[in-house]
Amino acid sequence: MVETIQWTADGVVMIDQTRLPLTEAYVTCRTYEEVATAIRDMIIRGAPAIGVAAAMGVAIGVLHAGEQDLDGQVETICDTLARTRPTAVNLFWAIGRMKRLYSSLKGRPIAEIRAALVEEAQRVREEDIAINRAIGRNGAVLVPDGKTVLTHCNAGALATAGYGTALGVIRAARESGKAIDVFADETRPFLQGARLTVWELQQDGIPTTLITDNMAGHFMKSGRIGCVVVGADRIAANGDVANKVGTYSVAVLAKENNVPFFVAAPISTLDLSLTSGDQIPIEQRSPAEVTHVFGHQVAPTGTAVQNPAFDVTPCRYVTAIITEKGVARPPYTETLKQLVS
Ligand code: MRU
């Protein structure tokens, strides 16, 4: 399985997701600022992977921090990492976890604090892989045998520390013997589906067909698609789901065609402090991602552009939310709370 992110003696090593699938290159981040840049520039992306990167960013920041005003430096490190991408709540979850550990170590020798934070960041990574395997196990039973699974964006090993959430469900369904194949939406504008999902599933020998985003309705109407499985960047208490832009359209098409629409995500993607998805901040990215395709201009100079990186799928379109602790079904306001407790 591909290594998305690792803690090494040299620094935090990440596979460069801006260069896949044509080049398999690795980036080593030696400072917390470099980790922040890697998250912002999407060298690493996907909600759980962003969380792991943030935890390692805090650890590497404290590892290189001086003893003077350590509290102030930790604040700066955490603020810098928190300002990278606003939508994936796993970023804030991971920073919060590292901050709480730091607070609990107040007054201890700095070497001990550093070692504990480095260990914790590695634990966040290891736990994420175990969580994804549990999500896979819980979701595999829901996948109809002998049909095609449609997915959007990349919620795979590359979007996590390993195995994946949505792609974890697909992997587990295949491991359990189900004869399924995958349709991957290309996922304009950043092409996570075309570049990352197809590449990752090819490595595993899982039969995968690439379609452009606007083909999803055509294939759902054909009866070939057994279910949709996607990941999530943040899930509100009522079950509204923020995920890669285009997910909402897929969900509406799924409902219209009686195709189950599943969301696979760890508990750390739940934000029960928000009553609905309307409160989820949506990242706006550079217009160049829309006007250009990998450096090639495809729209007239001066074109007005909107580029929201995520949309919110209302909970009424979500058949079930698959987590490591079990599967939630409507009414989510009750079932998500139960899962967390
Ligand atoms: O902008 P990205 O590539 O970080 O967006 C990723 C997604 O929307 C994923 O579907 C989501 O983070 C879940 S990843 C397991």
Side-chain angles (χ1 to χ4, degrees):
M1 197 164 60
V2 58
E3 290 290 1
T4 308
I5 179 165
Q6 281 178 294
W7 181 273
T8 73
D10 276 351
V12 182
V13 176
M14 306 168 185
I15 191 165
D16 186 345
Q17 300 195 31
T18 63
R19 299 183 66 189
L20 285 171
L22 299 184
T23 307
E24 192 176 328
Y26 291 80
V27 168
T28 303
C29 299
R30 295 185 171 82
T31 64
Y32 76 87
E33 290 99 330
E34 285 176 3
V35 173
T37 302
I39 297 172
R40 189 177 300 108
D41 293 350
M42 293 172 71
I43 286 168
I44 190 155
R45 33 68 47 203
I50 290 171
V52 177
M56 291 190 178
V58 174
I60 208 161
V62 173
L63 198 59
H64 299 311
E67 273 190 68
Q68 284 245 304
D69 187 26
L70 190 56
D71 285 359
Q73 291 180 79
V74 170
E75 270 311 304
T76 306
I77 292 165
C78 292
D79 285 354
T80 306
L81 289 161
R83 272 187 273 108
T84 51
R85 297 194 71 192
T87 304
V89 76
N90 307 62
L91 173 76
F92 308 99
W93 169 87
I95 293 170
R97 177 166 162 170
M98 298 299 280
K99 261 187 175 171
R100 281 193 300 280
L101 176 64
Y102 173 75
S103 301
S104 75
L105 294 166
K106 276 266 160 68
R108 300 285 183 84
I110 189 156
E112 195 183 313
I113 295 174
R114 286 177 177 146
L117 289 175
V118 170
E119 249 175 59
E120 185 74 355
Q122 287 172 290
R123 204 172 297 127
V124 170
R125 176 183 170 279
E126 281 153 27
E127 283 175 13
D128 186 57
I129 299 172
I131 285 168
N132 294 332
R133 289 202 175 266
I135 291 172
R137 278 193 299 278
N138 291 338
V141 289
L142 303 176
V143 175
D145 199 359
K147 296 278 234 175
T148 299
V149 179
L150 188 138
T151 190
H152 188 72
C153 193
N154 171 267
L158 288 166
T160 62
Y163 202 68
T165 56
L167 299 195
V169 170
I170 289 167
R171 286 194 165 97
R174 293 266 306 179
E175 285 161 17
S176 75
K178 288 191 173 169
I180 53 164
D181 69 325
V182 177
F183 268 27
D185 282 351
E186 69 170 346
T187 318
R188 274 283 286 155
F190 207 68
L191 303 177
Q192 289 93 332
R195 297 187 305 106
L196 308 177
T197 295
V198 175
W199 181 80
E200 179 181 326
L201 293 178
Q202 272 179 358
Q203 310 280 308
D204 276 12
I206 297 178
T208 304
T209 303
L210 175 63
I211 59 171
T212 61
D213 298 337
N214 49 0
M215 294 174 189
H218 171 77
F219 286 110
M220 280 203 237
K221 189 151 67 72
S222 77
R224 173 174 182 161
I225 310 295
C227 70
V228 175
V229 189
V230 297
D233 284 82
R234 199 186 288 227
I235 301 173
N238 68 345
D240 288 353
V241 174
N243 191 48
K244 179 53 53 194
V245 71
T247 302
Y248 170 43
S249 320
V250 173
V252 174
L253 286 168
K255 194 173 179 92
E256 170 67 20
N257 291 284
N258 292 316
V259 174
F261 180 88
F262 299 123
V263 174
I267 294 290
S268 56
T269 300
L270 301 182
D271 185 351
L272 301 189
S273 72
L274 306 183
T275 52
S276 92
D278 296 344
Q279 295 149 24
I280 298 175
I282 301 294
E283 177 183 10
Q284 302 290 326
R285 291 191 65 87
S286 159
E289 288 181 358
V290 179
T291 55
H292 291 61
V293 176
F294 283 83
H296 295 285
Q297 188 171 338
V298 293
T301 303
T303 302
V305 171
Q306 290 282 339
N307 187 14
F310 303 95
D311 60 24
V312 175
T313 299
C315 56
R316 66 179 176 278
Y317 294 103
V318 180
T319 310
I321 298 174
I322 305 160
T323 76
E324 70 273 30
K325 290 198 175 174
V327 176
R329 293 197 182 255
Y332 294 112
T333 311
E334 285 164 30
T335 53
L336 290 178
K337 221 187 297 166
Q338 277 162 15
L339 274 190
V340 171
S341 65

